[in-house]
Amino acid sequence: MSDSIQLLPDHIANQIAAGEVIQRPSSAVKELLENAVDAGATEIKLIVSDAGKSLIQVIDNGCGMSETDARMSFERHATSKINNIEDLFRIRTMGFRGEALASIAAVAQVELKSRRAEDEAGTYIEIENSRVKKQEPVAFPVGTSIAMKNIFFNVPARRNFLKSNAVEMRNIVDEFTRVAMAFPDIAFSLTANGQEMYHLGSGSLKQRIVHLLGNNYASKLVNVEEKTDYLNVYGFAGKPDTAKKTRGDQYFFVNNRFIRSAYLNHAVMSAYQQMIPADSFPMYVLFIDLDPAQIDINVHPTKQEIKFEDEKIIYAFVQAAIKHALAQFSIMPTLNFDLDPGIQQLDAVARPFTEEKKERTAASALYNTFTQKNQAHLIESKSDLKHWKDFFTASDKQPAGRPDSTADKFEYEQGGSAITRNTGPGEPLRLLENTELLHIHATYIVAPTNQGFILIHQQAAHERILYERYTAAAKEKPIATQRNLFPITIPLSAADAVMLEDLLPDLRLLGYEIEPLGKDTFVIQGTPADVEQGNEKVAIEQMLEQYKHFNSEVKFSRREKLIRSIAWQHAVKSGHNLSQKEMKLLAEDLFACSQPNITPSGNPTYIAFKKDYLERMFGK
Ligand code: ADP
Ligand code: MG
């Protein structure tokens, strides 16, 4: 038997590889335009015939190529843009893989003309099917012209796959628009079948946008500009009244490279929330510039996706930049963004920028690089609402005892015992002011009272406080919602999804803004203002579990069950450390309750020790 492995002939290997880079005429347009940009051209002409099927030609006045370079440029992996692996992390050019011209030459008939300023004569090269057919000197102005004829003439399967001229031309215009948008300094033109469709002089970004997207944007663009050490976000966003029913005019560029990002798009959309109808799309042209080392553009030559080192930061910046821009142009009142008035009155928000706050902010150094006028973001970064309410940080631990019955099991009051409950006759029980509280085992709080002292169970007490707060919220005053900086999706089982869907209106009253997002999936857009963000997914899942637990209790309404579940879920857990201030607030809030002494399910929240009993115990 003979061996069967053979090396593919070059031209076939090239054709196969070319399929990845050049999928349709518009891919070639993109590559050729980008090469012209990389060559430092100030003027770039694109000429197409037959939607690029018979001709795609790009003429530039860039640096041009020497005779050797012109020949070399069609070799696979021939590039002048990277020399070593480190260069890969500092890419500032549009291309760098050295694949485009090789691919183009593999699937078309190509004519190249090029001349450098220092050369007398230019170079003319004709290539077909990756083979040089002709090479000779030519008179040519400084720059390069590459004409690609009869794309896929040698790959009929691909040629047959091309769409109608209308569709392919649309794709070409899209690519042209993306490159032209990113480089307003460069003059561009597009001529199709002998007719000039675009003639774009060098100018400002705003002019370029208006030329490309239409005059109706002329007075409707809001300047976006957010500069930091880490990244710059700039560009324009359409005023809300320019929002369209179609998702057309939305452009993101990262280091001048057009990208698609549903994630970043979401950041922009969320900044526009409530300003535009739910089913419409704002216009934006946004540039994100950052250190190339922070991104991975090396994914695939034609990929428009991008990987960021820290996607969440980018999301927050983009969202903030848009909000700020919209606010600045008094499209909405400054600082009011989407913060509920209820939130702004919270003392953490009203409080000045304290040392402690500064420290926390410093922990996220990137926030610091924000310009001062954007301190509103700090509020949204949500680092510090009253932090004794850091409920979630301990919530990975299951609470000691699940509420299991509504019976009042509070039976501590035994005649003559040292222990008593609060409901005895005489002067009402009161906390003493200005005294230190004692925290024991991160679970109990010892608080002096007018009658002796009480031992508060922090988790039980908090459950009571929240239960009353949420009951009131559901009745008359909904809880303020804190928009999540990073919306979180939760996939659920079909059964849980139905259950959650049912609960959404009530959850909203309790400060949860959750929206269905297709099949059994939800997105958490906002959480109650007084709840630390960061653990929403687990919180919702636990809440659902608890709700199921209550589900057997037919005597409760749906809302009652929900409130009980959430109060239980949000309550600060045993074992969670509290500061003096946090303990005081907890004790005060507990005593402000209408029924402070028991949890909703009937467990004690505190035990009171009275002075006279204490004295008797010590034989006094
Ligand atoms: P890449 O852009 O990834 O380097 P290409 O295959 O697109 O790879 O181009 C190969 C090389 O040819 C480039 O690195 C560049 O040196 C040269 N080149 C291509 N187009 C032009 C142009 N319009 N002007 C000057 N040089 C060009
Ligand atoms: Mg290139």
Side-chain angles (χ1 to χ4, degrees):
M1 248 172 62
S2 68
D3 296 331
S4 47
I5 295 181
Q6 313 171 8
L7 286 175
L8 288 174
D10 266 1
H11 71 278
I12 297 192
N14 279 344
Q15 264 181 28
I16 293 171
E20 292 193 4
V21 184
I22 306 299
Q23 285 150 349
R24 47 185 6 95
S26 61
S27 343
V29 165
K30 169 176 182 281
E31 296 295 339
L32 294 175
L33 290 176
E34 288 185 350
N35 279 348
V37 169
D38 284 346
T42 57
E43 208 183 320
I44 300 174
K45 292 184 191 143
L46 169 62
I47 299 165
V48 299
S49 295
D50 204 11
K53 291 172 186 174
S54 53
L55 174 72
I56 297 168
Q57 182 174 16
V58 171
I59 305 167
D60 69 59
N61 64 351
C63 62
M65 286 180 261
S66 70
E67 189 186 337
T68 319
D69 283 351
R71 185 76 182 247
M72 272 287 284
S73 67
F74 291 99
E75 296 292 326
R76 189 156 299 278
H77 308 305
T79 178
S80 55
K81 298 167 194 172
I82 54 173
N83 288 315
N84 54 47
I85 195 72
E86 281 77 43
D87 285 348
L88 257 189
F89 301 99
R90 315 187 263 265
I91 294 290
R92 287 283 180 194
T93 50
M94 304 300 286
F96 60 89
R97 295 169 154 265
E99 288 179 310
L101 288 189
S103 300
I104 286 171
V107 296
Q109 295 149 343
V110 178
E111 290 170 22
L112 170 137
K113 287 181 212 161
S114 191
R115 182 167 76 88
R116 300 184 301 176
E118 60 262 50
D119 297 333
E120 280 279 307
T123 308
Y124 173 81
I125 297 179
E126 223 180 279
I127 296 191
E128 189 178 298
N129 229 345
S130 302
R131 293 197 186 93
V132 178
K133 311 266 290 202
K134 200 182 206 179
Q135 177 172 348
E136 58 190 31
V138 69
F140 191 71
V142 173
T144 304
S145 157
I146 298 181
M148 177 190 192
K149 294 181 179 167
N150 303 318
I151 185 172
F152 301 139
F153 79 102
N154 53 350
V155 202
R158 282 195 168 265
R159 186 152 180 109
N160 294 338
F161 246 101
L162 294 179
K163 303 257 169 57
S164 70
N165 280 8
V167 172
E168 296 298 350
M169 193 58 210
R170 183 71 244 162
N171 290 330
I172 288 174
V173 170
D174 283 349
E175 293 294 356
F176 175 83
T177 303
R178 290 165 189 164
V179 177
M181 190 84 87
F183 300 94
D185 294 346
I186 303 176
F188 283 89
S189 69
L190 166 52
T191 304
N193 299 328
Q195 280 206 311
E196 195 170 65
M197 286 176 73
Y198 289 93
H199 185 96
L200 311 167
S202 141
S204 68
L205 174 60
K206 194 170 185 173
Q207 288 168 331
R208 183 57 55 92
I209 292 172
V210 170
H211 284 151
L212 285 167
L213 303 183
N215 245 331
N216 47 327
Y217 285 121
S219 60
K220 299 280 188 183
L221 297 177
V222 168
N223 189 33
V224 177
E225 189 161 14
E226 213 63 71
K227 288 206 153 67
T228 74
D229 293 343
Y230 179 69
L231 57 69
N232 296 333
V233 177
Y234 62 93
F236 289 92
K239 293 185 178 170
D241 60 329
T242 62
K244 290 185 181 169
K245 293 286 175 209
T246 55
R247 185 190 285 279
D249 301 332
Q250 304 189 326
Y251 297 85
F252 268 118
F253 298 90
V254 172
N255 293 349
N256 283 331
R257 186 183 300 272
F258 174 81
I259 60 143
R260 283 177 205 283
S261 167
Y263 188 68
L264 293 185
N265 177 61
H266 190 281
V268 177
M269 294 297 279
S270 71
Y272 271 93
Q273 266 239 335
Q274 335 249 269
M275 300 168 64
I276 57 173
D279 55 349
S280 62
F281 302 92
M283 170 272 180
Y284 59 81
V285 178
L286 291 177
F287 291 79
I288 300 171
D289 282 359
L290 75 172
D291 181 348
Q294 297 292 329
I295 51 183
D296 180 6
I297 45 173
N298 192 18
V299 198
H300 186 275
T302 61
K303 279 258 165 72
Q304 290 164 336
E305 287 83 29
I306 197 166
K307 278 196 245 146
F308 293 104
E309 193 67 14
D310 193 340
E311 204 176 39
K312 287 188 170 186
I313 294 284
I314 315 265
Y315 183 102
F317 275 45
V318 166
Q319 188 188 45
I322 298 284
K323 282 187 180 182
H324 182 226
L326 294 174
Q328 224 187 11
F329 283 74
S330 51
I331 287 160
M332 51 198 307
T334 320
L335 244 192
N336 207 8
F337 296 149
D338 50 19
L339 290 185
D340 193 287
I343 298 177
Q344 295 197 50
Q345 268 138 42
L346 288 178
D347 79 14
V349 177
R351 236 169 16 198
F353 204 55
T354 60
E355 275 314 305
E356 184 191 27
K357 217 170 175 180
K358 275 184 196 153
E359 261 169 46
R360 283 187 174 224
T361 312
S364 167
L366 293 174
Y367 276 105
N368 264 350
T369 64
F370 253 133
T371 46
Q372 279 301 303
K373 55 188 190 235
N374 289 316
Q375 284 198 2
H377 311 318
L378 295 174
I379 297 167
E380 287 181 294
S381 83
K382 191 54 199 65
S383 52
D384 42 9
L385 291 174
K386 296 175 183 172
H387 49 189
W388 66 269
K389 293 172 178 173
D390 289 8
F391 315 138
F392 283 156
T393 48
S395 66
D396 47 340
K397 250 212 277 174
Q398 286 291 318
R402 284 187 160 216
D404 51 8
S405 104
T406 51
D408 186 346
K409 294 190 278 134
F410 196 31
E411 296 293 342
Y412 291 93
E413 192 171 30
Q414 297 152 10
S417 154
I419 307 164
T420 186
R421 66 189 285 190
N422 156 45
T423 50
E427 200 195 346
L429 188 75
R430 229 174 1 84
L431 294 168
L432 293 188
E433 276 163 21
N434 303 322
T435 55
E436 288 283 293
L437 303 186
L438 188 62
H439 205 198
I440 301 175
H441 297 314
T443 299
Y444 304 101
I445 300 164
V446 181
T449 66
N450 57 336
Q451 299 171 359
F453 71 89
I454 56 169
L455 191 61
I456 300 173
H457 190 283
Q458 67 189 41
Q459 183 177 331
H462 198 207
E463 201 178 329
R464 159 56 59 184
I465 295 166
L466 294 178
Y467 174 76
E468 295 203 0
R469 190 174 298 160
Y470 295 155
T471 306
K475 279 202 192 100
E476 69 244 10
K477 198 175 168 291
I479 301 266
T481 298
Q482 167 76 24
R483 304 273 312 167
N484 281 40
L485 207 47
F486 315 116
I488 299 144
T489 52
I490 20 174
L492 293 174
S493 69
D496 285 7
V498 172
M499 190 158 76
L500 185 60
E501 180 101 45
D502 245 18
L503 294 173
L504 292 186
D506 283 334
L507 277 167
R508 201 174 185 105
L509 294 174
L510 299 177
Y512 276 101
E513 201 178 313
I514 302 179
E515 287 162 14
L517 191 87
K519 197 178 169 342
D520 303 337
T521 301
F522 294 80
V523 56
I524 308 176
Q525 302 275 21
T527 44
D530 57 356
V531 172
E532 181 76 23
Q533 297 187 330
N535 209 359
E536 295 76 1
K537 192 162 171 279
V538 177
I540 294 292
E541 285 161 1
Q542 286 184 353
M543 186 277 294
L544 284 175
E545 278 317 300
Q546 187 59 23
Y547 183 83
K548 283 183 221 166
H549 175 81
F550 280 127
N551 238 349
S552 49
E553 306 256 7
V554 280
K555 65 183 176 202
F556 294 145
S557 70
R558 180 175 71 193
R559 183 174 287 177
E560 175 73 15
K561 284 184 284 196
L562 179 68
I563 289 173
R564 283 172 178 244
S565 305
I566 294 196
W568 169 83
Q569 210 293 317
H570 285 181
V572 66
K573 301 301 183 275
S574 300
H576 186 82
N577 259 319
L578 300 177
S579 69
Q580 269 302 316
K581 208 168 142 206
E582 292 166 343
M583 290 193 284
K584 277 191 178 137
L585 267 166
L586 184 68
E588 280 161 19
D589 284 358
L590 179 64
F591 277 82
C593 283
S594 66
Q595 202 180 352
N597 58 322
I598 51 169
T599 65
S601 45
N603 292 316
T605 55
Y606 69 88
I607 296 166
F609 294 79
K610 287 189 175 173
K611 250 186 293 188
D612 51 334
Y613 293 134
L614 290 171
E615 265 161 1
R616 257 192 279 157
M617 278 186 79
F618 287 104
K620 300 287 174 195

